């Protein structure tokens, strides 16, 4: 049942965002939003992921992994259902934040669940999870406009319908949580008998065990996990007495995560509008976004397995970055001339997300290490990504076109490549 739960949870981690991207123009008109406010709206995911994602390890220690993921699915369903009918921009933002809070904690805990219950299949299970995430992303992007038409043309119904996916996930995660599949509430141990608390951490007290493991140079520090096949040398990690935030590997992963998240949320929030402004019909623009997101379905399954078999993952980071630069160049020079090509290139580039998830699982050897590294990398990364979509909206409104926003995104792709090279070593 757990693999099914992972797939259903992953399906819920992006429709709240991509369904909004497909109908952003209608939502703006319906709520009277300016371009800058719409940019703020597309920055809300990053803000919520940074703020709420950092709480995931503590919540998991208190309520168990399955319990927190179950609560996250409930928050997603309620937020997605309520936000179109909350009334006004403030209510829409508040309900969106509720859904995104649920997504945030699941984002952080999914790699932990994979590492804890499938320690010798991290690449395969991360691929399955990433593939389901990409499927949910693409499904919402492609189907939102047609579903809205089938529901009478109301953007409210077109957004609210995606709460159905959260209900389906709840049906699986509720028994796992109630059945204490992950140990329910944490049982305390002395950390010496091999047992773990419910979040996969070891030791009796979270702060003590974190300090001890971070300062001891132990196996669960970031960078201590193998970077490739058996026998390859572990990636460089923090030395004795150094916390996770001082690890060059952890910092590189956090910054790499942040820049790829910036690109992803700009794509999900603004790509349909770029195509629509170039004269592409709304339904076709939604399909193009679906192609961009849907390309991640096969690649998200294959890429983690390829990355796990490599000694260094740096070439993959370079390849994905070059595809992103090519896609932005195409959108700048001739967006309507070859939209399918630009959509495909950006789809390949967006697969930096499953790559960084795989790196998180590979750069820590134990459950405690993955918990800390996942929380640090994702919280740091989402903080970094907050200004991007907002700045794109401001540049779009004040320049009256897409030249400056696309130039910004191309410029950000350069440090993303360099950080990916560092994190992939």
């Amino acid at each position: 049942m757990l693999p099914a739960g992972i797939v259903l949870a992953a399906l819920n981690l992006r429709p709240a965002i991509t369904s909004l991207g497909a109908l952003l123009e209608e939502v703006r008109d319906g709520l009277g939003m300016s371009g800058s406010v719409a940019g703020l709206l597309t920055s809300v995911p990053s803000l919520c992921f940074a703020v709420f994602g950092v709480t995931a390890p503590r919540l998991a220690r208190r309520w168990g992994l399955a319990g927190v993921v179950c609560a996250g699915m409930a928050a997603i369903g309620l937020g997605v259902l309520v936000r179109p009918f909350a009334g006004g921009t403030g209510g829409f933002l508040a309900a969106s934040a509720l859904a995104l809070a649920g997504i945030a904690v699941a984002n952080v805990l999914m790699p932990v669940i994979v590492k804890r219950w499938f320690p010798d299949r991290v690449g395969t299970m991360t691929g399955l999870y990433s593939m389901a995430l990409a499927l949910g992303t693409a499904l919402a992007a492609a189907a939102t406009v047609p579903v809205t038409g089938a529901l009478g043309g109301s953007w409210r119904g077109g957004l609210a319908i995606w709460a159905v996916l959260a209900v389906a996930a709840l049906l699986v995660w509720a028994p796992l949580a109630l059945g204490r599949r992950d140990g329910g509430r944490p049982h305390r141990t002395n950390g010496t008998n091999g047992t773990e608390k419910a979040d996969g951490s070891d030791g009796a007290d979270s702060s003590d065990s974190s300090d001890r493991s971070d300062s001891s140079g132990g196996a669960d520090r970031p960078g201590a996990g193998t970077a490739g096949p058996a026998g390859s040398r572990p990636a460089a990690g923090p030395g004795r007495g150094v916390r996770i935030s001082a690890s060059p590997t952890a910092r590189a992963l956090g910054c790499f995560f942040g820049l790829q998240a910036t690109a992803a949320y700009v794509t999900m929030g603004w790509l349909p509008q770029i195509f629509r402004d170039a004269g592409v019909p709304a339904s076709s623009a939604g399909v193009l976004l679906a192609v961009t997101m849907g390309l991640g379905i096969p690649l998200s399954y294959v890429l983690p397995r390829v990355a796990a078999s490599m000694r260094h993952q740096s070439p993959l980071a370079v390849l994905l970055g070059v595809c992103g630069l090519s896609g932005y160049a195409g959108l700048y020079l001739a967006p309507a001339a070859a939209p399918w090509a630009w959509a495909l290139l950006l789809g390949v580039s967006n697969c930096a997300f499953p790559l960084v998830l795989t790196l998180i699982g590979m750069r820590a050897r134990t459950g405690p290490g993955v918990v800390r590294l996942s929380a640090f990398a994702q919280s740091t990364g989402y903080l970094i990504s907050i200004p991007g979509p907002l700045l794109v909206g401001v540049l779009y409104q004040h320049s009256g076109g897409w030249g400056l926003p696309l130039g910004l995104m191309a410029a950000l792709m350069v440090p993303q490549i360099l950080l990916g090279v560092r994190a992939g070593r």
Side-chain angles (χ1 to χ4, degrees), residues 296-343:
I297 298 172
L299 291 182
S300 293
Y301 185 73
V302 173
L303 188 65
R305 305 183 74 177
V306 173
S309 70
M310 298 173 67
R311 179 178 176 84
H312 301 289
Q313 294 77 36
S314 301
L316 293 176
V318 174
L319 174 63
L320 300 180
V322 170
C323 288
L325 286 172
S326 302
Y328 291 133
L331 288 175
Y332 177 82
L333 296 171
W340 297 99
W342 317 142

Side-chain angles (χ1 to χ4, degrees), residues 67-257:
V68 176
V69 173
C70 182
M73 295 299 107
I76 294 170
L78 183 59
V80 169
L81 181 64
V82 168
R83 70 175 178 174
F85 310 102
T89 302
F92 191 93
L93 287 170
S96 294
L98 175 63
L100 293 165
I103 295 173
V105 294
N107 266 337
V108 171
L109 295 182
M110 282 296 115
V112 181
I113 290 171
V114 168
K115 182 73 171 183
R116 180 174 180 185
W117 283 308
F118 307 97
D120 51 355
R121 287 189 287 161
V122 169
T124 299
M125 293 307 298
T126 300
L128 180 65
Y129 155 67
S130 300
M131 184 174 65
L133 189 151
L135 176 60
T137 306
L139 182 64
T144 296
V145 173
V147 167
T148 299
L151 295 175
S154 170
W155 60 266
R156 289 180 169 83
L159 293 182
I161 192 67
W162 297 105
V164 171
L165 282 179
V167 173
L170 272 173
L171 294 177
V172 175
W173 281 99
L176 289 173
L178 294 174
R180 309 171 81 84
R181 172 63 180 84
D182 63 349
R185 297 187 182 184
H187 52 276
R188 303 178 69 85
T189 71
N190 60 15
T192 60
N193 59 2
T195 58
E196 296 180 323
K197 294 192 287 187
D199 67 337
S201 60
D202 51 9
D205 179 79
S206 61
S207 59
D208 280 350
S209 64
S210 176
D211 290 343
R212 285 195 301 270
S213 59
D214 282 345
S215 63
S216 65
D220 63 341
R221 56 188 168 91
T226 54
S232 64
R233 191 174 68 180
R240 183 176 299 273
V242 179
R243 290 182 177 274
I244 187 171
S245 58
S247 163
T249 300
R251 291 199 302 266
L253 278 170
C255 294
F256 180 60
F257 194 104

Side-chain angles (χ1 to χ4, degrees), residues 55-65 68 109 112 182 184-186 197-200 371:
T55 68
R58 180 171 295 181
L59 292 173
R61 284 194 294 271
R62 179 68 177 86
W63 302 106
L65 290 170
V68 176
L109 295 182
V112 181
D182 63 349
R185 297 187 182 184
K197 294 192 287 187
D199 67 337
V371 170

